[in-house]
Amino acid sequence: MRSLLITNIGELVTADPAWGEGSLGIRRNAALVIDDRRVEWIGRAADAPAADARVDAGGAAVLPGFVDSHAHLVFAGDRAAEFAARMAGQPYTGGGIRTTVGATRAACDEQLRTNVARLRGEALRQGTTTMEIKSGYGLNVTDEARSLRIAREFTTETTFLGAHVVPAEYADRPDDYVGLVCGPMLTAARSAGARWIDVFCERGAFDADHSRAILTVGADAGMGVRVHANQLTEGPGVRLAVELNAASADHCTHLSRADIDALAGSATVATLLPGAEFSTRSPYPPARALLDAGATVALATDCNPGSSFTTSMPFCIALAVREMAMTPAEAVLAATRGGAAALRRGDIGRLTVGARGDLLMLDAPSHLHLAYRPGVPLTTTVVLNGELV
Ligand code: NIG
Ligand code: FE
C-alpha cells in the first residue's frame, strides 16, 4: 500500500479534544500521513516524513469521514407518491413499509445489489466512509438472509431488522411472527454475518415485550443491540434500549424527561435522524436537552425509501444546526465520533494517530461551511481506508 501525505490543511478536525483546540480538536496549517490504512503521523508540513504520494489541500478543511450509523439501503421501488401525499398533509405512520416489502421480495439479487451500490456511492461522494446497513424489507427467512448477504458485500456493520413490522401474512398472528424472527430468521441472519439486531419498537410495529424478547435472543446469540425508539410516540423504546445496554437508541423524537436522563446516564448513544423529521414534516428530536443532560448524540441519515430518502450527512448536519439548536461543532462531532460510538467503534470517526485512514476534504476553509452552505456539494476528496477514492 502506498503512503499518502496531505499538506496545507487549513483546518484539520481531529474530532478528539486531546489532539487540538476545542471539542473538535482542531489543528491549523497541519499535515497528515496515512500509511498502511492508518493515520501514521500528524504535524507541521515542514516536519512531515516522506510518503509515496502527496496531496496539497490548498488551505481546505479536512475532517474524519462521516459515520452513518443508521441506513436501510436494501430495498426495491420508491415511495415518491407517499412523500407527495405527506407534503399535502397526510401523516407518516410506517404503513408504507409493507409496500417496500412487496417490491423488495419481487426484486432479483442484482436489482437489490445495484440499488445498494448506487446509494452507497452517493454517500461516499459526500464523505461517508462508514455506513451501517439494515435488512428489514424482506421479512421472511429467505429475503431477510439475502438482504443481509447483499448488505455484507458493502459493510461489516450489518443489522438484522426482521422486526421492522409484522408482514401482511402474519397480521392476525403477531406472536407467530415473533417466533419466526427469534428462531429460523435469526439463525439465517447469523449465518449471513449480521453484527447487530434492531427492532422497530413502536405502536403499530412491536411492543415492549415482543421487542425485549427479540433483542434478548439476538444478544444471547452474540449480536449487538440497537433499537428504533420513540420515533412516532413517547413509547417504551428508549427505556428498553437502556435496559439492554443497546449501543444506540435511534430516532428519539418523542422523549420524556426520564428518557433523556436514562440516556444521559447510560452507554447508549442517542442517534438522531433529522432527515426523517424533515421528510415526514414532524417535530425534530430534543437534541439540545440530550446534549445538555450529557447524553452522547449521533447523527445519521436513516436513508430509506419511506421516511428519509437521503444519503447526505452534510444535509443532516445542516438540519441539526438550523432546526435542532446543535452548534456546528456538536453536529460535526455527532456525525463522526458520535456515529462511531453508536457502532461501538474506536478506530473510526476521528483523525488521530492510529485511527483508520478515512477522511474527507471540503471545498471550504472550515467545518462551519457544512451548515452555513446547505445543499452545496462541498466534499471534494475522500480517502477510504487509506486510499484516495
Ligand atoms: O427508520 N421507522 C421505521 N423504519 C424506517 C422507515 C421505514 C419506511 O418507512 O420504509 C425509519 O424511519
Ligand atoms: Fe430507520
Side-chain angles (χ1 to χ4, degrees):
M1 258 224 77
R2 283 156 59 81
S3 57
L4 175 68
L5 165 63
I6 305 177
T7 58
N8 208 2
I9 302 171
E11 179 188 270
L12 176 65
V13 172
T14 66
D16 186 336
W19 282 77
E21 287 162 40
S23 59
L24 287 179
I26 287 175
R27 296 170 78 120
R28 310 217 177 257
N29 306 318
L32 173 146
V33 173
I34 294 175
D35 196 8
D36 199 20
R37 304 187 182 282
R38 302 270 152 191
V39 177
E40 190 199 47
W41 177 90
I42 292 172
R44 302 198 65 87
D47 309 324
D52 302 321
R54 190 184 179 105
V55 171
D56 185 337
V62 168
L63 289 80
F66 298 126
V67 179
D68 185 352
S69 60
H70 184 138
H72 308 247
L73 300 192
V74 192
F75 67 86
D78 84 28
R79 283 159 42 207
E82 182 191 313
F83 173 76
R86 271 203 307 277
M87 294 305 108
Q90 291 295 311
Y92 174 77
T93 60
I97 294 171
R98 283 181 180 171
T99 308
T100 301
V101 170
T104 304
R105 287 177 179 175
C108 67
D109 292 7
E110 205 40 45
Q111 282 172 296
L112 295 178
R113 183 175 291 119
T114 301
N115 199 28
V116 178
R118 180 173 68 85
L119 295 169
R120 180 67 192 94
E122 245 177 52
L124 184 61
R125 285 192 293 279
Q126 297 172 85
T128 298
T129 47
T130 301
M131 204 163 186
E132 181 256 21
I133 302 179
K134 301 176 195 298
S135 65
Y137 292 115
L139 308 190
N140 60 36
V141 174
T142 309
D143 290 307
E144 281 298 300
R146 80 167 169 145
S147 296
L148 287 164
R149 275 197 304 275
I150 290 169
R152 191 70 180 72
E153 295 171 18
F154 296 87
T155 183
T156 54
E157 302 294 348
T158 59
T159 299
F160 169 46
L161 181 59
H164 199 181
V165 288
V166 176
E169 65 273 22
Y170 280 88
D172 52 358
R173 40 193 187 110
D175 290 346
D176 290 354
Y177 186 65
V178 171
L180 179 72
V181 171
C182 291
M185 210 186 275
L186 185 101
T187 305
R190 287 189 64 201
S191 315
R195 173 162 187 233
W196 302 96
I197 186 161
D198 191 348
V199 169
F200 186 18
C201 181
E202 186 62 61
R203 196 182 298 158
F206 296 87
D207 66 16
D209 291 339
H210 279 160
S211 299
R212 183 183 289 102
I214 294 163
L215 294 170
T216 303
V217 178
D220 290 347
M223 290 164 157
V225 172
R226 25 202 345 102
V227 186
H228 276 72
N230 300 46
Q231 177 184 9
L232 306 177
T233 54
E234 201 184 284
V238 162
R239 270 163 289 147
L240 181 64
V242 171
E243 173 194 319
L244 299 178
N245 185 29
S248 179
D250 298 55
H251 286 283
C252 295
T253 311
H254 298 276
L255 300 183
S256 66
R257 186 68 238 175
D259 292 327
I260 292 170
D261 292 340
L263 285 164
S266 76
T268 300
V269 173
T271 299
L272 310 183
L273 310 165
E277 281 74 40
F278 177 88
S279 300
T280 60
R281 196 171 274 151
S282 304
Y284 287 91
R288 196 65 269 147
L290 285 162
L291 287 161
D292 292 345
T296 302
V297 168
L299 283 172
T301 62
D302 194 18
C303 181
N304 75 79
S307 65
S308 181
F309 200 8
T310 181
T311 50
S312 176
M313 290 294 279
F315 176 59
C316 294
I317 289 171
L319 286 179
V321 172
R322 173 63 180 81
E323 304 291 341
M324 289 151 61
M326 289 174 73
T327 66
E330 286 168 339
V332 165
L333 214 50
T336 53
R337 250 183 108 151
L343 295 172
R344 300 225 159 128
R345 295 272 301 267
D347 59 329
I348 55 175
R350 68 181 80 201
L351 281 176
T352 55
V353 169
R356 221 170 84 137
D358 289 348
L359 61 80
L360 63 105
M361 196 183 294
L362 297 178
D363 180 14
S366 155
H367 69 280
L368 294 172
H369 285 231
L370 286 164
Y372 174 47
R373 306 203 62 214
V376 178
L378 291 179
T379 304
T380 54
T381 305
V382 178
V383 175
L384 175 65
N385 206 10
E387 293 192 64
L388 273 168
V389 175

